[in-house]
């Protein structure tokens, strides 16, 4: 799907802005909680416009937009499924005859489920399915996804990073797809036990034992270390090169637990690798540095003819949200805990349960307008009695979820001074009892980044 066509399609949509940003925030909280359980770190960065924010919602739900411009002739119906669901990996494997067509069925509570295909390119496991029956109704459930499932016996699945597509209505029912990134160093699987437990709000149990055809990848040992900047180092370790995907294993050393190193990869012909999934494997403290072990899946494989890869590293810095009380004489300035950013809160007006706040961003000229707009939208209020913090003073996002208040409307008043006005709806209480939480880290992580020298990796012959 081309960019211009995409925006042409989505721009006319009536997007519920507050609900969009609320869903993004909830997705961020769930991501942080998954990180805590796996002893690793993962963060999504705020995208650049409301239209792009809609893309984030799809990403949180697992939908992937892929620029597919060709049609398959040898398996046209299945090809149309992959096209409609935007699964580029499955599409590429299908073109190479590496997808297994299936017809496994199970029924429960008036809904018939069928597994229609599966693939296993070492780096990723995927399948497509179809749901049929009068009880399948999109929008009929308050759940955040159209369906629920578990693999194995529910105890082992937390280590499997998953991408889920929403259900898509077709003439034969509703189709969906799931892609998993198996745990690192796991053995090859000949099948995967899968149980669906909810389809559009209808509870049930649809059991499958999905057969898999395993296509091993080629392991390319890199074992090279690069000093990126003071306090930052990148150790490239290994690349698992599959049929249509590749997974990069690397370790980065950073001075702050909120920092990370991101990679952009090109081959020797200048073709950029498409990113798919990033999975932190481990985070450890080593002296005054933080050691981060990561594997990153790309929707591109390394050509047999490629002599080298060129990696463009980017250092991304972040920080915990700043929290200050609104019970101060106006105007007052709230400052970042780590960077040079600040906001001057110039005026606060409260009429019954409506609060209007005027403020200006300071030292944010290196951040694009779209990102400052979204930064302003993610400024939140919380009653002081509901604030819960962790050992290091950071906001406990899980405990405060449901108590924080996003603005009903945020708009730019004066672009030269970055003067914004946000309107909040509060319970019938004085605003002086509230705290303001400010995500300065999103400004820094989306600011113009330091340009680092590209790294050339010679590939083994």
């Amino acid at each position: 799907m081309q960019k211009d066509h995409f925006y042409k399609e989505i721009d006319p949509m009536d997007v519920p802005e507050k609900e969009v940003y609320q869903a993004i925030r909830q997705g961020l909280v769930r991501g942080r909680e998954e990180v805590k359980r796996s002893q690793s770190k993962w963060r999504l960065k705020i995208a650049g416009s409301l239209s792009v924010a809609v893309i984030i919602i799809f990403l949180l739900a697992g939908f992937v937009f892929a620029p597919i411009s060709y049609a398959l002739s040898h398996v046209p119906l299945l090809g149309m499924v992959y096209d409609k669901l935007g699964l580029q990996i499955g599409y590429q494997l299908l073109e190479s005859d590496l997808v297994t067509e299936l017809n496994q069925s199970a029924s429960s509570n008036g809904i018939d489920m069928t597994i229609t295909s599966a693939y296993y390119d070492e780096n990723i496991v995927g399948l497509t399915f179809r749901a049929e029956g009068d009880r399948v109704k999109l929008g009929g459930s308050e759940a955040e996804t159209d369906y629920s499932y578990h693999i194995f016996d529910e105890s082992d699945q937390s280590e499997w990073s998953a991408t889920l597509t929403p259900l898509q209505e077709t003439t034969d029912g509703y189709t969906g797809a799931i892609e998993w990134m198996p745990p690192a160093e796991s053995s090859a699987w000949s099948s995967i036990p899968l149980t669906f437990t909810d389809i559009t709000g209808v509870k049930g149990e649809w059991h499958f034992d999905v057969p898999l055809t395993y296509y091993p990848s080629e392991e390319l040992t890199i074992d090279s270390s690069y000093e990126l900047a003071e306090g930052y180092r990148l150790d490239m370790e290994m690349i698992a090169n599959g049929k249509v995907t590749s997974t990069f294993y690397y370790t980065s050393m950073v001075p702050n637990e909120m920092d990370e190193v991101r990679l952009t990869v090109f081959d020797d012909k200048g073709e950029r690798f498409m990113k798919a999934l990033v999975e932190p494997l481990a985070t450890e403290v080593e002296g005054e540095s933080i050691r981060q072990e990561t594997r990153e899946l790309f929707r591109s494989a390394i050509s047999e003819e490629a002599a080298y890869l060129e990696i463009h590293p980017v250092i991304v810095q972040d920080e915990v949200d700043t929290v200050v009380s609104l019970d101060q004489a106006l105007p007052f300035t709230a400052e970042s805990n780590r960077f040079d950013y600040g906001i001057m809160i110039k005026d606060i007006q409260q009429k019954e349960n409506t609060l209007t706040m005027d403020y200006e961003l300071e030292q944010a000229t290196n951040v694009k307008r779209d990102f400052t707009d979204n930064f302003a939208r993610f400024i939140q209020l919380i009653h002081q009695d509901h604030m819960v913090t962790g050992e290091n003073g950071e906001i406990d996002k899980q405990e405060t979820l449901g108590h924080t208040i996003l603005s009903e409307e945020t708009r730019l008043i004066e672009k030269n001074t970055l003067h914004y006005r946000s309107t909040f709806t509060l319970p019938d209480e004085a605003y002086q009892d509230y705290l303001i939480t400010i995500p300065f880290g999103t400004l820094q992580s989306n600011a113009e980044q330091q340009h680092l020298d590209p790294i050339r990796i010679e590939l083994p012959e």
Side-chain angles (χ1 to χ4, degrees):
M1 182 179 293
Q2 299 300 315
K3 178 181 177 182
D4 292 343
H5 175 69
F6 173 73
Y7 280 107
K8 181 180 179 180
E9 291 294 323
I10 69 171
D11 280 344
M13 291 182 181
D14 183 16
V15 179
E17 182 172 341
K18 183 181 178 183
E19 288 78 3
V20 165
Y21 287 100
Q22 187 75 19
I24 295 173
R25 185 173 63 85
Q26 291 173 348
L28 291 169
V29 171
R30 291 195 303 275
R32 290 188 180 99
E33 289 308 303
E34 289 299 321
V35 164
K36 290 178 183 178
R37 287 192 287 270
S38 62
Q39 297 298 306
S40 57
K41 180 164 73 84
W42 172 86
R43 291 190 300 279
L44 282 176
K45 305 305 177 186
I46 297 173
S49 67
L50 183 58
S51 294
V52 178
V54 178
I55 300 175
I56 290 183
I57 293 298
F58 280 111
L59 289 175
L60 290 174
F63 193 84
V64 180
F65 294 96
I68 299 172
S69 59
Y70 54 88
L72 298 178
S73 59
H74 57 299
V75 193
L77 294 180
L78 192 52
M80 290 174 62
V81 170
Y82 284 112
D83 190 1
K84 189 175 183 66
L85 295 175
L87 294 174
Q88 186 188 8
I89 292 176
Y91 216 127
Q92 291 175 313
L93 289 169
L94 183 63
E95 187 184 42
S96 302
D97 292 322
L98 300 176
V99 170
T100 302
E101 289 190 79
L102 300 172
N103 189 30
Q104 286 193 4
S105 298
S107 298
S108 180
N109 288 336
I111 294 179
D112 300 323
M113 297 285 296
T114 304
I115 304 298
T116 54
S117 70
Y119 50 89
Y120 188 3
D121 184 27
E122 169 126 342
N123 300 316
I124 197 159
V125 174
L127 59 83
T128 58
F129 62 89
R130 182 175 65 250
E132 301 172 89
D134 294 338
R135 300 190 70 186
V136 183
K137 298 184 183 300
L138 295 181
S141 169
E142 296 182 357
E144 295 175 3
T145 57
D146 297 332
Y147 51 91
S148 300
Y149 73 91
H150 66 76
I151 53 178
F152 304 104
D153 60 357
E154 296 188 76
S155 62
D156 300 324
Q157 64 178 338
S158 61
E159 297 182 9
W160 287 60
S161 300
T163 299
L164 286 69
T165 73
L167 291 179
Q168 298 285 318
E169 187 172 5
T170 71
T171 56
D172 296 323
Y174 296 82
T175 60
I178 307 173
E179 285 185 343
W180 292 278
M181 194 174 183
E185 301 180 357
S186 63
S187 57
W189 301 91
S190 60
S191 65
I192 180 171
L194 168 68
T195 300
F196 288 95
T197 57
D198 184 295
I199 304 296
T200 63
V202 179
K203 304 295 183 183
E205 289 192 352
W206 297 264
H207 299 286
F208 300 95
D209 189 32
V210 183
L212 299 173
T213 300
Y214 173 67
Y215 297 100
S217 63
E218 176 188 8
E219 293 190 0
L220 307 176
T221 301
I222 305 301
D223 196 21
S224 298
S225 182
Y226 308 91
E227 296 294 332
L228 303 180
E230 184 177 356
Y232 295 88
R233 191 180 80 231
L234 173 66
D235 298 330
M236 295 298 303
E237 296 164 357
M238 188 267 287
I239 302 173
N241 192 38
K243 299 295 183 183
V244 299
T245 64
S246 55
T247 302
F248 288 61
Y249 291 79
Y250 57 91
T251 297
S252 52
M253 300 294 291
V254 298
N256 189 294
E257 65 177 355
M258 299 295 291
D259 296 349
E260 59 187 22
V261 175
R262 296 180 183 171
L263 306 182
T264 301
V265 180
F266 298 85
D267 66 13
D268 55 356
K269 302 297 189 298
E271 294 293 328
R272 181 170 177 167
F273 282 36
M274 293 182 60
K275 290 177 177 286
L277 293 170
V278 179
E279 182 182 22
L281 300 177
T283 300
E284 299 177 355
V285 178
E286 289 191 4
E288 297 182 356
S289 298
I290 308 297
R291 175 187 175 90
Q292 301 170 340
E293 297 180 13
T294 306
R295 65 171 177 164
E296 183 165 2
L297 173 68
F298 290 86
R299 300 178 186 274
S300 308
I302 302 172
S303 168
E304 294 181 356
E305 291 76 29
Y308 65 88
L309 299 177
E310 189 171 274
I311 294 179
H312 294 245
V314 175
I315 294 172
V316 180
Q317 297 175 314
D318 203 345
E319 70 169 9
V320 298
D321 292 354
T322 296
V323 181
V324 297
S325 172
L326 292 181
D327 188 15
Q328 302 186 50
L330 296 170
F332 67 88
T333 299
E335 298 180 340
S336 163
N337 298 313
R338 183 182 180 191
F339 308 112
D340 295 332
Y341 305 114
I343 65 170
M344 177 183 289
I345 299 178
K346 302 175 65 176
D347 185 55
I348 300 177
Q349 298 291 330
Q350 183 174 10
K351 184 177 181 180
E352 296 179 346
N353 65 341
T354 299
L355 180 144
T356 302
M357 182 171 65
D358 283 72
Y359 52 95
E360 292 181 359
L361 274 62
E362 299 178 341
Q363 306 297 324
T365 56
N366 63 333
V367 184
K368 293 181 179 180
R369 160 76 184 281
D370 284 343
F371 293 121
T372 61
D373 286 355
N374 280 315
F375 161 80
R377 291 187 182 102
F378 275 83
I379 291 175
Q380 301 176 85
L381 304 182
I382 183 171
H383 194 280
Q384 58 191 9
D385 292 343
H386 294 144
M387 175 57 71
V388 180
T389 57
E391 296 180 357
N392 299 320
E394 75 280 5
I395 301 173
D396 189 321
K397 299 290 186 177
Q398 187 66 30
E399 291 296 325
T400 57
L401 185 63
H403 298 293
T404 52
I405 302 171
L406 281 168
S407 63
E408 298 286 342
E409 179 186 30
T410 292
R411 56 192 178 97
L412 182 65
I413 304 300
E414 170 54 53
K415 66 179 181 179
N416 292 329
T417 60
L418 292 178
H419 174 191
Y420 285 87
R421 178 174 295 153
S422 295
T423 302
F424 299 85
T425 298
L426 304 180
D428 191 13
E429 300 170 323
Y431 75 82
Q432 289 86 350
D433 294 332
Y434 281 78
L435 309 173
I436 180 173
T437 70
I438 310 168
F440 285 118
T442 63
L443 288 177
Q444 181 65 20
S445 60
N446 288 300
E448 294 181 6
Q449 303 296 331
Q450 176 184 359
H451 291 284
L452 304 173
D453 292 335
I455 296 170
R456 177 165 165 158
I457 295 180
E458 301 293 338
L459 295 173
E461 294 183 359

